[in-house]
Amino acid sequence: MALSLLRPLLTWLPRRWRSAPPIDPGLWHGVTSALPFVAALSAPEQDRLRTLCAHFLQEKEFHGAHGLVITDRMALTIATQACLPLLHMRDASGAVPKEDAQRLDWYGDFVGIVVQPGAAVAQREVTDGMGVVHRYREVLAGEAMDRGPVMLSWDEVSRAAELAPQGKNVVIHEFAHKLDMHGMGQGQHPDGAPSLPPGFLGMATDAARQHWRLTMQEAYAGFKEAVAMAERFGGEPPWLDDYAATHPAEFFAVTSEAYFVQRERFAQELPTLLPLYDGFFRAAP
Ligand SMILES: [Zn+2]
């Protein structure tokens, strides 16, 4: 039976009854050694990441757009970076996972990953406060929709090692949006405040949420100020893409990229966010 026919059955089964096909050792080595922020992980961390990737590859469907053929190497390159943020997280219910693959419930709202060969051009339409409709074209390296597929530009994904020193990573960006969107109600929008694990930084739930919001707001305001100063007075632009200044959800996604691919610089540039992100992304080390 074709895998596409088996898949609904596989995903219906509880994950503990499914065994994911193992990843070829040569392929794993080739992909992970090409990503410096993955190659730097310890052996037990790499083992766990490999388990997550095996389940991710079993559960997700890759589609190449415009005739792009998705090879095993491409799919694993995406899976590795998509699963990296989950490595030390609690599961989506806030519990310490009994099995590593339970962490994939964070990404349980979608199956499809659409890979574009280059940047995608999206037609957008917004209605402003005066009721005027504006249509514009936007060039995208990636996109994540709530309960919908993730879109990635292979051109951007394939430059992961080259972009890591700048703190950039498109796969982590889009999957950080997915984490932010998890558990949102219909009509809600991601806001850079994902659901926090119980006991986050030793705080009660409401205090933790409040602490997250205030710390993020302050860092976001500081970043926007630095971008504005650089634009107006030609000062040194802040580290990280000024796209982070467009929305709190983008600030969370852009800073998450840096947290995973350039942790030391992240700690220097965004010191207030380090304990925050450690508390969220490393709640079950
Ligand atoms: Zn984004």
Side-chain angles (χ1 to χ4, degrees), residues 142-144 173-174 177 243 249-250 253-254 257:
E143 189 171 48
H173 181 105
E174 300 310 331
H177 281 318
Y243 185 60
E250 298 305 339
V254 170
E257 299 173 51

Side-chain angles (χ1 to χ4, degrees), residues 197-219:
F200 174 80
L201 302 184
M203 295 176 193
T205 308
D206 287 349
R209 213 173 284 152
Q210 177 83 342
H211 177 70
W212 179 282
R213 284 195 185 279
L214 286 177
T215 311
M216 288 296 276
Q217 269 167 20
E218 214 168 274

Side-chain angles (χ1 to χ4, degrees), residues 89-165:
M89 284 181 72
R90 298 279 187 103
D91 70 20
S93 72
V96 176
K98 288 196 189 75
E99 282 167 59
D100 290 329
Q102 266 170 259
R103 294 179 171 89
L104 286 168
D105 288 348
W106 280 100
Y107 300 153
D109 71 313
F110 75 103
V111 170
I113 297 169
V114 180
V115 188
Q116 302 271 356
V121 178
Q123 299 289 339
R124 300 288 195 215
E125 205 176 273
V126 288
T127 308
D128 68 20
M130 308 291 282
V132 180
V133 178
H134 302 268
R135 288 192 186 87
Y136 60 101
R137 287 151 60 85
E138 197 176 12
V139 179
L140 303 169
E143 189 171 48
M145 270 176 284
D146 185 33
R147 297 173 180 85
V150 170
M151 188 279 286
L152 295 162
S153 148
W154 179 251
D155 187 43
E156 186 85 4
V157 175
S158 65
R159 293 170 62 215
E162 174 198 333
L163 295 173

Side-chain angles (χ1 to χ4, degrees), residues 8-282:
L9 177 68
L10 287 171
T11 49
W12 175 80
L13 281 169
R15 205 175 267 117
R16 63 183 181 278
W17 292 346
R18 292 178 233 157
S19 62
I23 296 168
D24 174 79
L27 181 66
W28 176 255
H29 179 75
V31 166
T32 54
S33 60
L35 298 168
F37 47 91
V38 177
L41 297 174
S42 68
E45 286 175 318
Q46 291 217 12
D47 286 347
R48 182 186 286 180
L49 188 60
R50 193 165 161 174
T51 302
L52 288 168
C53 287
H55 284 270
F56 185 94
L57 291 170
Q58 186 185 45
E59 292 173 25
K60 303 302 179 210
E61 277 173 16
F62 288 81
H63 308 274
H66 304 291
L68 182 70
V69 176
I70 311 294
T71 63
D72 287 352
R73 191 186 174 92
M74 290 162 79
L76 183 59
T77 297
I78 291 169
T80 304
Q81 297 170 81
C83 292
L84 182 64
L86 302 180
L87 196 58
H88 296 294
M89 284 181 72
R90 298 279 187 103
D91 70 20
S93 72
V96 176
K98 288 196 189 75
E99 282 167 59
D100 290 329
Q102 266 170 259
R103 294 179 171 89
L104 286 168
D105 288 348
W106 280 100
Y107 300 153
D109 71 313
F110 75 103
V111 170
I113 297 169
V114 180
V115 188
Q116 302 271 356
V121 178
Q123 299 289 339
R124 300 288 195 215
E125 205 176 273
V126 288
T127 308
D128 68 20
M130 308 291 282
V132 180
V133 178
H134 302 268
R135 288 192 186 87
Y136 60 101
R137 287 151 60 85
E138 197 176 12
V139 179
L140 303 169
E143 189 171 48
M145 270 176 284
D146 185 33
R147 297 173 180 85
V150 170
M151 188 279 286
L152 295 162
S153 148
W154 179 251
D155 187 43
E156 186 85 4
V157 175
S158 65
R159 293 170 62 215
E162 174 198 333
L163 295 173
Q166 300 165 42
K168 287 187 186 175
N169 187 287
V170 67
V171 180
I172 293 172
H173 181 105
E174 300 310 331
F175 282 81
H177 281 318
K178 281 289 186 189
L179 296 174
D180 194 3
M181 289 169 185
H182 186 85
M184 262 179 7
Q186 291 281 1
Q188 285 187 304
H189 300 284
D191 57 358
S195 5
L196 299 174
F200 174 80
L201 302 184
M203 295 176 193
T205 308
D206 287 349
R209 213 173 284 152
Q210 177 83 342
H211 177 70
W212 179 282
R213 284 195 185 279
L214 286 177
T215 311
M216 288 296 276
Q217 269 167 20
E218 214 168 274
Y220 179 56
F223 185 82
K224 286 211 304 187
E225 179 67 22
V227 170
M229 290 295 277
E231 276 169 6
R232 261 180 254 150
F233 305 110
E236 178 85 0
W239 187 54
L240 299 181
D241 200 326
D242 60 11
Y243 185 60
T246 57
H247 191 278
E250 298 305 339
F251 185 68
F252 172 64
V254 170
T255 51
S256 293
E257 299 173 51
Y259 173 80
F260 284 102
V261 304
Q262 206 53 252
R263 184 183 167 92
E264 277 175 33
R265 179 94 191 260
F266 175 95
Q268 287 166 14
E269 301 276 348
L270 299 156
T272 59
L273 297 191
L274 188 69
L276 215 61
Y277 286 17
D278 279 347
F280 178 64
F281 288 114
R282 303 185 71 90

